[in-house]
Amino acid sequence: GQLRYAVPEELEHGAFVANLGEDLGLDVSTLSARRFRIVSRAGARQHLEVNLENGILFVNERIDREEVCEAGGTCLLHLQLLVESPLELYRVEVEVLDINDHAPTFPWQEYVLEVAESAVLGARFPLESAQDPDVGTNSVHTYRLSPNGYFSLEVQTRSDASKFAELVLERALDREQQRAHRVLLTALDGGVPERSGTAHILVTVLDANDNVPAFDQPSYGVSLPEDAAAGTLVIQLNATDLDEGPNGEIEYSFSGHAPPRVRELFHIEPRSGQVLLKGPLDYERAHLHELYVQAKDRGPSAVAVHCRVLVHLLDVNDNAPEVTLTSVSTPVQEDAPPGTVIAVISVLDRDSGDNGRVSCEVSPDVPFELRSSFRNYYTLVTTQALDREVVPEYNVSITARDMGSPALLTRSTLTVPVSDVNDNAPRFLQPSYSVYVMENNAPGASICSVSALDPDCQQNAYLSYSIADGHIHGMPVGTYVSINSDSGHMYALRSLDYEQIRSFQIQVQAQDAGFPPLSANVTVHIFVLDQNDNAPVIVSPMPRNGSVATELVPRSARPGYLVGTVSAVDADAGLNSRLSYQLLQATDFTLFSVAPETGELRTLRSFLEQDATRQQLVVQVRDGGQPALSATVSLLLSVVETMPQTLSDFSEFSLPPEASSSSPLTLYLLVSLGSISFTFLLAILILTAIRCRGERRSRQGDSCSPPPCHCCPGSRPSSDGLKTSNLTAQPPTGTSAATCLDVPAGGPPGYCYKVCLGPESAQSDFMFLKPCSPPRNNEKDAGKLSQPGQHLQVSKQLKQPNTDWLPPSVQRPALKRYQTGHCGERVEGGCGDGEGACADRVR
C-alpha cells in the first residue's frame, strides 16, 4: 500500500514526521537487522530519514518548499522504503506544506506612473504586482493604497488566481495645479502572521496623449517543442495606437513582474514585438511558461497596456531511462534456490506519455530474470541453480528502453558474484600412488608427495592431509611414515629394512576446511628396494669350538671326488643374494676346485705321494650386489689312508627355519638312504652265509680242530673253547628293533662280525667285534674275556637323518656320503692269526 503524510516546510533537523514502524506494522527491533532504509536516486538530497531504533521518519535537513517545488501547486516528496529478509517495498508520499515564510516584494521600491492630465475619471492604470514565493493563502492576498484625494485602488484576480492592483482615477488631474502625486502601495499576504511589502508610486501628470495602445487580444497561447533551438520565434505580438507620430509608435517589453526564469528563456524585440527563444527549454522542469508583455507608445504621458502569452511546451523524447541498482543479496550463494531476490531495480524516465513509458529486460544468457513489483520497480531473481565452479561471477546486463520514437535505452551492468558452498570433495591427481624407497633410508627423508585438488575456493578448497590409522607388522602406521598436513609431502620416520618388510600400504586422506568438511582417500603403496647391505653368511661347514673347519679326505679319492659342499645364505634378494664360490687360497690349487654355483668342493686329480697330508683352503663366497660383499671360510683337509667313522665339519650345521621347510628333497633323501641300506644289508647277509659255509668245510679237514667260532649260528661250544657269546641288540624305547646277525668271517677263523641294522634307520652300522679265541699262554686270566652265560649288551640308538637344513634348489649340494675303507687288526687266539675285515658304517 501507499502512505501519505504532510509536513510543514522549514522544520529543523530531527523534527518528527511519522512513525513508519507502527504505520507499516513492522517490528521495530528488527529494522536495523533487516536494513530498513529509504531508496533514493543517486545525487538526490535526502530531506527525510528513518530512525532504525524506533522506526520514526524525521526531517534530515531543512525543507524549503519553494526550492524543492519550483512550480506552484502541491509539493510532494515521493519516498521508496526498502526492507530485507524478506524483501518488501513500500511507497510513501510526504506533502510539504507551505508556511508564510516570505513577505510580498515589488520589483522596484519606487514606480513612476505618468498620467495625462486629460485622463478621464475612472481611468485605470495597472500597477506592478508584488511577488510572494509562498502559495495559497500565504501568497499575495490584497493590496492597499495610502489615502489620497485623486486615486483609489482596485484589486484584480488573474486566471491563475494571482492578484494585481489597478490605480483608478477618482478625480480629474490638473497638471498646472499639481504636477506629481505620491502614494504608498502596500501588498499583503493571507498568512498568519500577515506579511507585507511596500512600493512608492510617483504619479507624474503629463500633457494629454489620449490614446493608448491596444493588443489584438488580451491573452495569447502558443505551443513550442522543448528541443527548440535558441532564436526560435515564439510569437509575433501586435498592438495598435490610434495616435500619430511618437504618440502612435509602440514599444514592447516584459512587464516588471515577469519572473527571472522567463527573462532567461525568452527575449522580446522592443520595436517589432517578436518574442524569441533565448535559452534551452526543459519540459520536465516546467511544461508551461507565462509571459506578461506590455506595450506603450512613445508619446508623452504614454500608458502601458498588458497582455499575457502562454507558452505550452511539447515533450520530446530527450531523456533516456535512468536505471538505479540497489543490491540486496550479493554475493549470492551457489546453492540459493530459484526465485532468490538478488537486487531491486528502479527505472525512471523524465519524459511523459509514451516517451516516459519504460520496459526493462536482462540478457537471456544468464540465469536471472526481472519481475515487476510496482510501476517502474523490478526485482532481479534467480531462475535456476547456480554453480560457482562453472561460473564464479555473472555480469548481468540490464536494458531499460522507453516507448518514444526514436526509442532511447540505457544499459547498466550488475556484477553478481557467486559465493562458494562446500559441495565438492577433494580429488587426488592419481587413483593410487606407488612409491619405491631404497632400504636403509635416512629417517626423516622425504619419500614422496601426494596432491589433491578441490574445485571450491577459499577455506572450502584449503586441504589438509593426514594418514589413516592402521598397523604395519603390529606397529602403528604413524611410527613408519608421517605427512605434512599442508603440502602432502610424506616422510619416512624410520630406516626401512628390506629383509624385515618389503612392502606396505597406507591410506592418505585429504580433507577440506569447509563445513561440513569433505574428504577423499587414496592408497599409497610403498615398496622397499633391496640394497646390498648383507654379506653372505657361511652355514656349512661350521668350525668346531672356534677352530678351523676340518675334513678328512681319503688318499684313494679319484678326480671329481666330492669332499664337501660349502653352503652360504644371503639375506638380500635378487642379484644381491646370488652367490658365487671361488677358491681364494689353497696349498695346492691343482688339487681342489670349487663349483661357482653350488659350492661343491671336489678333487681335480688323484693324490700323489709327494702331496702334503694337510691341505689348507680358503673359500670365498661373493654376492652379486654392487658393490659386492663376500665372506670366507677356512678349511683344513687331512689326507688319510682310511676314513674313520666320524662326522665331518661339513655336516655340522643348521640353517634357519625357513630353509628346513617340508621340501620334497627330504623325502628323496630318506628313500635313497633306505634303499642303499637295504641293498648293503642284503649283500652282507649273502657274504656272511658264504663265509660261514667255507669255514665249516675248512674245519672238517684240519687236524688241529680249533673250536668253532661261537659267532656262527648253530655252532656248539667245546670244553676248551669259550662259551658262545649271546649277542643281542636292544633298541631304544620308541624305535623298531634292530636286526642283529652273527656272521662268520671268510678269512682265518676266530673273527666275528656283528651287523646291527635298524629297519627304519637311514644308516647301517657294521660293527667290528673282538675275536672269540681262547687266551694265549702268557695271558693270566683268560676267563675275563668271556664268562659263561655273560650277555654282551649292544645298544645302538638309531640315528635319524639331519633335516635341520636343506640347501636351496639353486645350489643343489650333493648328498653327503662317506667312502668305505679297510681296517685290519691282528688278534692272537686259539682260532689262529689272520687278518679281519671291518664293516664300514654306511650312512
Side-chain angles (χ1 to χ4, degrees):
Q2 179 170 320
L3 301 178
R4 184 164 182 170
Y5 303 96
V7 59
E9 65 172 335
E10 301 296 335
L11 291 179
E12 295 296 328
H13 172 76
F16 174 85
V17 178
N19 192 334
L20 292 179
E22 179 179 352
D23 295 340
L24 295 176
L26 301 176
D27 187 0
V28 176
S29 62
T30 62
L31 294 181
S32 178
R34 297 181 65 186
R35 298 182 62 193
F36 184 61
R37 63 191 182 276
I38 297 175
V39 180
S40 59
R41 292 183 296 105
R45 299 179 64 179
Q46 195 77 14
H47 294 95
L48 301 176
E49 190 57 83
V50 177
N51 189 331
L52 296 182
E53 295 181 359
N54 50 27
I56 291 177
L57 180 68
F58 64 94
V59 176
N60 187 44
E61 64 179 24
R62 187 180 64 85
I63 305 174
D64 189 354
R65 193 201 66 83
E66 289 75 22
E67 179 183 354
V68 174
C69 302
E70 291 184 2
T74 304
C75 182
L76 297 176
L77 296 179
H78 299 278
L79 305 179
Q80 283 79 35
L81 303 177
L82 186 67
V83 62
E84 301 178 7
S85 302
L87 180 67
E88 294 178 320
L89 188 67
Y90 303 94
R91 301 184 66 179
V92 175
E93 289 184 352
V94 178
E95 180 182 0
V96 181
L97 301 179
D98 182 53
I99 64 172
N100 192 21
D101 57 338
H102 294 88
T105 58
F106 288 91
W108 298 278
Q109 294 296 318
E110 185 173 342
Y111 292 92
V112 176
L113 180 61
E114 297 177 346
V115 180
E117 61 179 352
S118 60
V120 298
L121 299 178
R124 297 176 179 271
F125 304 96
L127 301 177
E128 291 289 343
S129 299
Q131 297 295 320
D132 194 337
D134 297 326
V135 295
T137 59
N138 294 326
S139 64
V140 177
H141 180 63
T142 187
Y143 293 88
R144 291 177 186 173
L145 189 65
S146 60
N148 63 86
Y150 292 92
F151 300 95
S152 66
L153 191 67
E154 285 189 8
V155 180
Q156 302 292 334
T157 302
R158 298 188 183 96
S159 60
D160 60 351
S162 62
K163 304 293 182 68
F164 68 94
E166 289 182 341
L167 200 61
V168 180
L169 183 61
E170 298 290 342
R171 180 181 174 183
L173 298 175
D174 188 357
R175 179 177 177 278
E176 289 69 25
Q177 292 183 2
Q178 188 175 352
R179 298 183 60 177
H181 302 272
R182 287 186 176 273
V183 294
L184 180 64
L185 179 64
T186 302
L188 302 171
D189 61 21
V192 178
E194 187 180 71
R195 292 178 180 270
S196 63
T198 60
H200 294 277
I201 299 176
L202 176 61
V203 181
T204 303
V205 181
L206 301 175
D207 287 335
N209 183 11
D210 53 356
N211 290 295
V212 297
F215 284 99
D216 296 339
Q217 58 189 53
S219 179
Y220 296 88
V222 65
S223 296
L224 188 67
E226 64 171 324
D227 61 347
T232 301
L233 177 63
V234 178
I235 192 173
Q236 174 68 59
L237 297 178
N238 185 28
T240 59
D241 193 329
L242 297 178
D243 294 329
E244 293 181 354
N247 293 332
E249 294 178 1
I250 302 174
E251 289 185 351
Y252 301 91
S253 64
F254 288 114
S255 61
H257 59 269
R261 179 66 178 166
V262 171
R263 297 178 184 273
E264 293 175 0
L265 296 177
F266 301 97
H267 168 70
I268 188 170
E269 289 292 335
R271 301 302 298 268
S272 65
Q274 289 181 343
V275 180
L276 303 176
L277 183 62
K278 181 181 178 182
L281 301 176
D282 190 355
Y283 176 87
E284 290 71 36
R285 184 171 183 179
H287 59 276
L288 174 66
H289 295 281
E290 191 173 6
L291 285 64
Y292 293 95
V293 181
Q294 68 179 8
K296 67 178 179 178
D297 57 30
R298 302 181 65 185
S301 304
V303 176
V305 295
H306 300 81
C307 75
R308 185 177 66 168
V309 179
L310 297 178
V311 181
H312 298 274
L313 299 185
L314 301 177
D315 185 38
V316 175
N317 192 23
D318 59 342
N319 291 282
E322 298 177 5
V323 178
T324 302
L325 302 177
T326 303
S327 297
V328 174
S329 179
T330 55
V332 59
Q333 288 192 341
E334 61 177 322
D335 61 348
T340 301
V341 177
I342 305 303
V344 175
I345 301 169
S346 63
V347 293
L348 175 65
D349 196 318
R350 298 181 180 274
D351 297 321
S352 61
D354 289 341
N355 295 332
R357 189 174 295 112
V358 180
S359 64
C360 199
E361 61 184 11
V362 297
S363 52
D365 57 344
V366 294
F368 304 98
E369 67 177 3
L370 289 175
R371 294 179 183 176
S372 179
S373 53
F374 296 101
R375 183 176 181 269
N376 292 339
Y377 278 87
Y378 299 87
T379 55
L380 181 67
V381 300
T382 59
T383 59
Q384 64 186 41
L386 306 178
D387 190 349
R388 190 207 64 82
E389 288 71 38
V390 177
V391 181
E393 184 178 83
Y394 292 92
N395 292 320
V396 182
S397 178
I398 302 171
T399 304
R401 180 182 288 105
D402 60 26
M403 302 299 177
S405 180
L408 299 179
L409 59 86
T410 299
R411 284 191 177 92
S412 181
T413 300
L414 174 63
T415 300
V416 181
V418 181
S419 63
D420 186 47
V421 174
N422 193 23
D423 56 349
N424 291 279
R427 180 174 55 85
F428 283 93
L429 300 182
Q430 298 178 208
S432 63
Y433 291 83
S434 295
V435 182
Y436 298 89
V437 182
M438 185 68 69
E439 67 170 330
N440 302 318
N441 57 293
S446 175
I447 58 175
C448 73
S449 176
V450 297
S451 180
L453 296 178
D454 195 318
D456 294 323
C457 67
Q458 295 178 355
Q459 69 173 11
N460 295 330
Y462 176 77
L463 300 182
S464 61
Y465 300 90
S466 62
I467 297 176
D469 293 335
H471 290 81
I472 301 174
H473 287 216
M475 296 292 291
V477 67
T479 62
Y480 280 83
V481 293
S482 66
I483 190 169
N484 187 305
S485 61
D486 295 326
S487 63
H489 290 288
M490 297 180 61
Y491 304 91
L493 298 181
R494 61 170 62 184
S495 180
L496 301 178
D497 190 351
Y498 175 84
E499 288 72 36
Q500 295 182 0
I501 179 171
R502 299 192 175 187
S503 66
F504 58 92
Q505 65 182 25
I506 59 176
Q507 291 287 328
V508 176
Q509 182 185 72
Q511 180 174 291
D512 59 32
F515 182 80
L518 301 178
S519 61
N521 295 333
V522 70
T523 301
V524 179
H525 301 273
I526 299 178
F527 299 93
V528 182
L529 301 179
D530 183 45
Q531 193 178 38
N532 192 24
D533 58 343
N534 290 280
V537 176
I538 306 295
V539 296
S540 173
M542 296 295 292
R544 298 178 181 178
N545 300 325
S547 60
V548 179
T550 60
E551 179 63 18
L552 301 180
V553 182
R555 184 173 292 275
S556 60
R558 296 183 178 184
Y561 171 79
L562 179 62
V563 178
T565 301
V566 177
S567 298
V569 293
D570 195 315
D572 295 322
L575 291 175
N576 296 330
S577 65
R578 183 172 296 176
L579 304 180
S580 62
Y581 302 84
Q582 64 175 353
L583 191 59
L584 192 62
Q585 297 178 9
T587 304
D588 188 351
F589 281 97
T590 64
L591 191 55
F592 300 97
S593 68
V594 176
E597 299 295 333
T598 62
E600 293 180 347
L601 180 63
R602 295 182 181 272
T603 57
L604 291 175
R605 58 179 176 82
S606 299
F607 287 96
L608 303 177
E609 291 296 332
Q610 61 269 24
D611 290 334
T613 58
R614 297 174 67 85
Q615 298 285 334
Q616 187 170 2
L617 307 178
V618 177
V619 178
Q620 183 187 60
V621 183
R622 179 186 296 267
D623 58 27
Q626 291 294 332
L629 301 178
S630 62
T632 58
V633 59
S634 298
L635 303 176
L636 182 60
L637 303 183
S638 299
V639 181
V640 297
E641 298 296 332
T642 58
M643 292 291 293
Q645 202 155 3
T646 59
L647 290 176
S648 68
D649 288 339
F650 277 97
S651 61
E652 294 186 1
F653 66 90
S654 61
L655 285 181
E658 57 269 17
S660 60
S661 60
S662 57
S663 171
L665 183 60
T666 303
L667 180 61
Y668 299 155
L669 290 174
L670 293 176
V671 173
S672 300
L673 292 175
S675 300
I676 294 174
S677 300
F678 179 75
T679 303
F680 184 75
L681 175 62
L682 184 60
I684 292 299
L685 291 176
I686 295 174
L687 180 60
T688 302
I690 295 175
R691 295 287 296 272
C692 288
R693 184 176 300 175
E695 184 180 356
R696 187 178 295 125
R697 286 197 301 267
S698 64
R699 284 198 308 267
Q700 291 175 0
D702 194 356
S703 59
C704 179
S705 302
C709 181
H710 301 286
C711 297
C712 301
S715 62
R716 300 294 181 184
S718 62
S719 58
D720 298 329
L722 294 173
K723 300 290 182 179
T724 301
S725 300
N726 187 6
L727 299 177
T728 62
Q730 182 177 355
T733 305
T735 61
S736 300
T739 303
C740 297
L741 297 176
D742 292 335
V743 181
Y751 287 88
C752 300
Y753 297 88
K754 182 172 180 65
V755 179
C756 296
L757 300 175
E760 297 179 359
S761 176
Q763 74 177 24
S764 299
D765 292 331
F766 187 80
M767 304 184 66
F768 177 78
L769 301 179
K770 291 290 184 177
C772 51
S773 57
R776 301 180 59 180
N777 295 331
N778 57 351
E779 292 181 1
K780 300 297 182 180
D781 190 3
K784 292 183 180 179
L785 295 176
S786 177
Q787 298 296 332
Q790 180 182 5
H791 296 276
L792 178 61
Q793 301 293 330
V794 180
S795 177
K796 181 67 175 179
Q797 182 176 356
L798 302 182
K799 300 186 68 175
Q800 299 297 324
N802 185 5
T803 59
D804 290 340
W805 174 82
L806 292 177
S809 58
V810 178
Q811 300 179 359
R812 302 184 183 276
L815 183 67
K816 303 294 187 297
R817 60 183 179 268
Y818 297 91
Q819 302 296 326
T820 58
H822 299 278
C823 61
E825 181 181 358
R826 180 173 298 273
V827 180
E828 294 182 0
C831 295
D833 296 332
E835 196 72 13
C838 70
D840 294 291
R841 179 179 182 180
V842 180
R843 180 181 173 88

